């Protein structure tokens, strides 16, 4: 059994395809297939079920792949120990971010990291929470910025900030004249939601659960509509198609200080008004998550410091 063989089975488990796994490992498919067959013969069991349409991991194979990933991480940790002796922050940090955080946090965060730790460039990956958790488990990324809640996967978690939601309504809407809004006041509106897979969609439906039944119901006047991103939904709000909830960091600065800027986008104050909620607003908790076996503790600490150095207007920072 070799580390190379373990690398191959982890790649096949990730790609669910021998050809794609071979490309990812920079070897030919026959080389990869022969190595995996040799490992299966040595272990006297099947790691993968092969058929014409797809590759599936056997139940015992799942355990073996998980252990293989751990072994590969521990082997990589030897190199990390050597690196840390020279510069604990040397080398890229692979960071995953969910779609409803990335566009609003990353521009400031990347600048902070460049200024503070230029020797630690960020390799960025935007994706859904479920996919990022899987990438963390497989070691494809080092850490991720996520919004709670998500399944307990035995990750190390550091709270970053609590972010309130705001209501976004068309500038021509009667509610646009209000200083603040309540959840009851938007229950009779057409709600614009992110598509299935976005955790922020679930956050909105927790605040307004009555819209869950409209999101898949095409009959009747009252229903909800879906968009692929928050920016797309803001454009739908600007067009007068309905209202939505957005996280505080996604609100353009011009929309909050009252300065309309037509050159910016359709989400600015010219077309969309953003209203806070009366009383305690609905919020989401944003956290940094990483594998407990990840050894670059200094890199995680410096990333947290860089996040705290960002402006983060309107959110409650957590220590």
């Amino acid at each position: 059994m070799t580390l190379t063989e373990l690398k191959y089975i982890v790649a096949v488990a990730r790609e669910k395809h021998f050809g794609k796994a071979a490309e990812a490992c920079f070897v030919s498919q026959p080389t990869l297939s022969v190595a995996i067959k040799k490992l299966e013969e040595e272990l006297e069991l099947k790691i993968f079920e092969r058929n014409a349409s797809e590759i599936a991991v056997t139940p015992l194979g799942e355990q073996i792949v998980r252990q293989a990933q751990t072994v590969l991480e521990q082997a990589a940790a030897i190199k990390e120990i050597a690196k840390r002796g020279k510069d604990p922050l040397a080398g890229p940090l692979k960071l995953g971010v969910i779609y409803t955080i990335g566009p609003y946090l990353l521009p400031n965060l990347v600048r902070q990291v460049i200024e503070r730790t230029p020797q630690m460039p960020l390799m960025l990956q935007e994706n859904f929470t479920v996919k990022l958790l899987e990438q963390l488990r497989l070691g494809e990324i080092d850490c991720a910025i996520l919004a709670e809640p998500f399944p307990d996967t035995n990750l190390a978690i550091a709270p970053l900030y609590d972010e309130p939601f705001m209501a976004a309504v068309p500038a021509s809407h009667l509610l646009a004249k209000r200083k603040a809004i309540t959840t009851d006041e938007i229950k009779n509106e057409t709600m614009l939601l992110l598509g299935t897979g976005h955790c922020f969609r679930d956050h909105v439906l927790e605040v307004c659960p009555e819209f869950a039944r409209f999101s898949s119901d095409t009959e009747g006047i009252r229903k909800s509509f879906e968009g692929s991103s928050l920016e797309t939904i803001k454009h739908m709000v600007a067009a007068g198609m309905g209202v939505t909830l957005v996280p505080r960091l996604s609100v353009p600065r011009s929309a909050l200080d009252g300065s309309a800027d037509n050159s910016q986008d359709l989400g600015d104050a010219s077309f969309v008004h953003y209203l806070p909620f009366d009383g305690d607003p609905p919020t989401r908790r944003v956290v940094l998550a990483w594998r407990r076996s990840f050894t670059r503790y200094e890199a995680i600490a410096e990333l947290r410091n860089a996040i705290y150095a960002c402006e983060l207007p309107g959110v409650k920072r957590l220590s």
Side-chain angles (χ1 to χ4, degrees):
M1 186 185 305
T2 66
L3 289 176
T4 298
E5 291 167 351
L6 299 184
K7 178 183 174 183
Y8 290 167
I9 65 171
V10 169
V12 173
R14 179 181 67 243
E15 301 291 345
K16 300 293 191 295
H17 190 279
F18 276 79
K20 292 179 180 178
E23 289 179 11
C25 295
F26 303 103
V27 297
S28 67
Q29 183 172 335
T31 297
L32 180 138
S33 298
V34 168
I36 290 178
K37 184 177 180 182
K38 172 179 171 291
L39 180 59
E40 289 180 323
E41 290 174 351
E42 179 181 345
L43 297 175
E44 299 182 346
L45 57 80
K46 289 289 185 184
I47 299 174
F48 301 104
E49 293 287 351
R50 304 158 174 86
N51 59 50
S53 60
E54 63 178 12
I55 302 296
V57 187
T58 65
L60 271 177
E62 290 276 5
Q63 298 179 45
I64 290 170
V65 169
R66 281 197 296 271
Q67 185 61 35
Q69 180 63 49
T70 300
V71 171
L72 291 172
E73 287 180 12
Q74 291 173 342
I78 295 174
K79 294 181 179 180
E80 293 296 338
I81 290 170
K83 281 184 181 179
R84 288 211 311 270
K86 301 173 184 177
D87 183 352
L89 301 177
L93 184 68
K94 293 177 286 186
L95 172 65
V97 189
I98 59 174
Y99 291 116
T100 56
I101 292 178
Y104 316 111
L105 176 63
L106 289 180
N108 201 342
L109 176 58
V110 170
R111 281 193 293 269
Q112 290 292 339
V113 171
I114 290 172
E115 292 175 5
R116 300 166 68 92
T117 53
Q119 74 275 34
M120 188 185 77
L122 294 179
M123 296 179 62
L124 300 170
Q125 166 77 251
E126 270 191 312
N127 221 311
F128 297 113
T129 298
V130 172
K131 181 62 176 176
L132 292 177
L133 290 173
E134 178 69 6
Q135 290 177 323
L136 273 175
R137 185 178 70 82
L138 294 175
E140 296 176 18
I141 57 177
D142 300 322
C143 52
I145 299 175
L146 308 168
E148 291 184 331
F150 49 83
D152 181 7
T153 52
N154 198 32
L155 296 170
I157 303 292
L160 296 174
Y161 55 84
D162 286 339
E163 182 177 20
F165 302 160
M166 297 184 73
V169 303
S172 59
H173 198 288
L174 289 176
L175 289 174
K177 299 176 181 179
R178 299 286 305 276
K179 296 290 187 183
I181 196 172
T182 67
T183 55
D184 286 338
E185 288 176 305
I186 59 176
K187 288 181 179 178
N188 294 320
E189 302 294 329
T190 297
M191 176 63 72
L192 305 178
L193 297 169
L194 284 170
T196 303
H198 290 276
C199 61
F200 192 72
R201 169 196 176 93
D202 300 327
H203 296 158
V204 173
L205 291 177
E206 285 180 12
V207 179
C208 307
E210 60 277 359
F211 286 104
R213 69 180 184 274
F214 298 123
S215 60
S216 60
D217 183 6
T218 58
E219 296 180 2
I221 296 175
R222 194 174 166 203
K223 53 191 174 184
S224 63
F225 297 88
E226 297 181 357
S228 58
S229 72
L230 280 178
E231 295 309 306
T232 298
I233 287 181
K234 287 180 186 178
H235 295 157
M236 294 167 70
V237 171
M241 291 189 64
V243 305
T244 194
L245 302 190
V246 297
R248 174 62 176 78
L249 291 183
S250 74
V251 178
R253 185 185 300 272
S254 63
L256 294 176
D257 61 20
S259 60
D261 182 1
N262 293 327
S263 67
Q264 200 173 46
D265 60 45
L266 292 180
D268 74 6
S270 304
F271 302 95
V272 179
H273 281 208
Y274 298 90
L275 305 173
F277 282 88
D278 277 330
D280 293 330
T283 63
R284 66 175 178 179
R285 174 156 294 183
V286 175
V287 303
L288 180 63
W290 65 96
R291 293 183 306 283
R292 295 184 185 277
S293 59
F294 187 59
T295 58
R296 295 180 64 189
Y297 313 113
E298 299 88 351
I300 294 293
E302 187 53 44
L303 178 62
R304 289 183 69 190
N305 291 338
I307 294 171
Y308 288 136
C310 295
E311 291 184 14
L312 304 180
V315 308
K316 178 183 179 183
R317 299 166 189 263
L318 304 170
S319 58

